[in-house]
Amino acid sequence: MEIKPLGDHSNSSLETQKAPSQNTQTNGVFISTYGCQMNSNDSERMYSLLEMANFTPVNTPEQANLIIINSCSVREKPVHKVYSEVGRYKKLKKKNPNLKIGVGGCVGQQEKSALTKEQPLIDFVFGPDNIDELPNIVQNAYSSDGKIIHAKFYNNEPYHIENMVRNPGVSTFVNITKGCDNFCTFCVVPFTRGRLRSRPAQDILSDIEKLVDRGVKEVTLLGQNVNSYMGECGTNFAQLLVLLAEKTNILRIRYTTSHPKDFTEELCQVHRDYKEKVCDYIHLPVQSGNSEVLHRMNRVYTREDYLKKIEMIYKYVPSVSLSSDFIVGFPGETESQFLDTLSLIEKVKYESLYAFKYSPRPFTKAARFGDQVAEDVMQDRLDRLLQLHRAGSFQECQKYVGDIVEVLVDKEDSQKPGYMTGRSSQNKITHFEGSRDLIGQIVKVKIEQSHPQTLHGIRV
Ligand code: SAH
Ligand code: SF4
Ligand code: F3S
C-alpha cells in the first residue's frame, strides 16, 4: 500500500522531524479505542503513522512506551472513563519514566487542556482533526517537560486522507466524510468532529481499488451522515455509489450512517439498480417516533416523513433489512410521546436496533432544556422498548427460514470446528458447514434456523 508520509496540512513540519530517538526496539505503542467505527479507523491511522515514525504496535499497555486513549464522548461519563483508564497506568508510569500517555478522539477535542490539569499523568492531548500531526505531537511530548495540547479543527481545508487500514481482511471501512453540520440538539459530534467535509470521489475510488488489490471484497463507507456527502464536482452520495459500483471491482458496498432527511428516491433507485453490489441493509436512525420530540431534537423530519421514507425504501428494495437508533427520555418526553416510539417500532419492524438513555452532553442545546427525565423513568422506557423489539425481531427474522441467501465468507466459526461464517447482504451473520478456502467468496446458503442476530443453514 502506498502510504502518504504524514499530514497534508500545509502548516505541518512533520516531514523534517525525526522519530523519538530513545530505544527504537522498545518503542512500543498501545492504543485503546472507544466509540464508533470512525474512531477504530482513526486508531488504524495512528498506528500506521507511528509505525512510520519507528514505533511498533504492541498488544498490552505493559509492553508500551507510548499509550494513547482514543476516546469517545457521545454518551455516559466519557471523561470519567478516560481518567479511570489513565489511573490504571500509574504503576506503569512509575516503572517506566519514558512512558508517555496521550488522549485523542472526541474527549480530547472536547476537554483539551482540562484533561492534563485534572490528570497530570496525561502528557498530551489531540483532536480527531490532528491525527496526521500525531508523530510531531509525540515527538514534542518526548522532547519537552510541559503538556502538549493540540486540538484544532481544519474546517476550511479540503478533506484529503489516504486509507491506512493495516490488515483489512475481507471487509473493511473507508471514510468518505468527516464532521457533521446537523446539530441535533442532543449530540456532541458537531463539536468534537467539526464541520462536514467530503473526500474527493477520485480519492475514495483509488483507495477502494487499492483495497481490492489487497484482497478486500467488501467496503463500508463511513461518515456521521454519509448521505450528505458532496464531492468536489457536485457528486452526491447516490452518484458516488454508482461510481464505486461501476468503476471498481469491489464485490459489495455498505454504508453507515445515513440521515432520514437526506435519504432520497435517487438513493433508493441505486439500491434497486445496483443490488448486486449495494447491500440490502440500511441503518436509518429515527431517534423518536413522536414529531414534537423530533422537532425539539432538531432532526428536521416528522414521524410521518420518516414513515414515508420507509415506505419508499420498501417499494424499491423489498428485501431490505432495516435498523435504527433510539433515544429514550429525551428532555420533556412524556409517556404518551414514548408510546409513539413503541408504535413506530411495531410499524417499521426493524431487524435490529440500538437504544440509549438520553445523556446530556456539553455544548449541546438539549443539555440546557429544563425538563430532564428521571433516571428510573428512562430505564423503564429503555427496558420496555428493548422487550418489544426482542419479541418483534424474533418473529420478523423467521421470514429467512427456507430462503437462499448470498453470504460473503469472512472467517472460521470460532465456536464450531468445520463451520464458517460470513454476512448476508442483509448484514446477518450466517453460519454454515464449510472450509477456509471459501474465505473471500460469496456462497449461497439455504437458511434452516433464524435468530435476530444470526442465521444458520447449509451451502447449496
Ligand atoms: N450520525 C449518526 C449518529 C451518531 S451517534 C446519526 O445521526 O444517526 C450514534 C447514536 O448515539 C445516535 O444515533 C443516538 O441514538 C445516540 N446518541 C447521540 N447522542 C446521544 C445522547 N446525548 N444521549 C443518548 N444517546 C445519544
Ligand atoms: Fe449527531 Fe445528528 Fe450529526 Fe448524527 S446527524 S452526528 S446525531 S448531530
Ligand atoms: Fe464517539 Fe466521537 Fe464517534 S463522540 S461515536 S468517537 S464521533
Side-chain angles (χ1 to χ4, degrees), residues 74 179-191 193 195 223-225 228 257-262 285 287 297-299 325 327:
V74 81
C180 181
D181 289 348
N182 289 329
F183 290 93
C184 301
T185 56
F186 53 81
C187 183
V188 77
V189 169
F191 304 96
R193 296 267 164 175
R195 298 289 59 77
Q224 283 302 340
N225 181 6
S228 63
T257 297
S258 44
H259 193 297
K261 79 175 166 58
D262 297 320
Q287 313 298 353
M297 286 176 164
N298 192 32
R299 291 293 288 185
D325 293 346
I327 295 178

Side-chain angles (χ1 to χ4, degrees), residues 318-330:
S319 51
V320 73
S321 158
L322 293 170
S323 66
S324 189
D325 293 346
F326 291 86
I327 295 178
V328 297
F330 183 76

Side-chain angles (χ1 to χ4, degrees), residues 35 72-79 81 188 325-327 354-361:
C72 166
S73 61
V74 81
R75 294 175 293 270
E76 293 149 298
K77 303 197 177 96
V79 185
K81 279 184 196 158
V188 77
D325 293 346
F326 291 86
I327 295 178
Y354 305 86
F356 311 100
K357 289 182 276 185
Y358 168 75
S359 98
R361 303 266 50 94

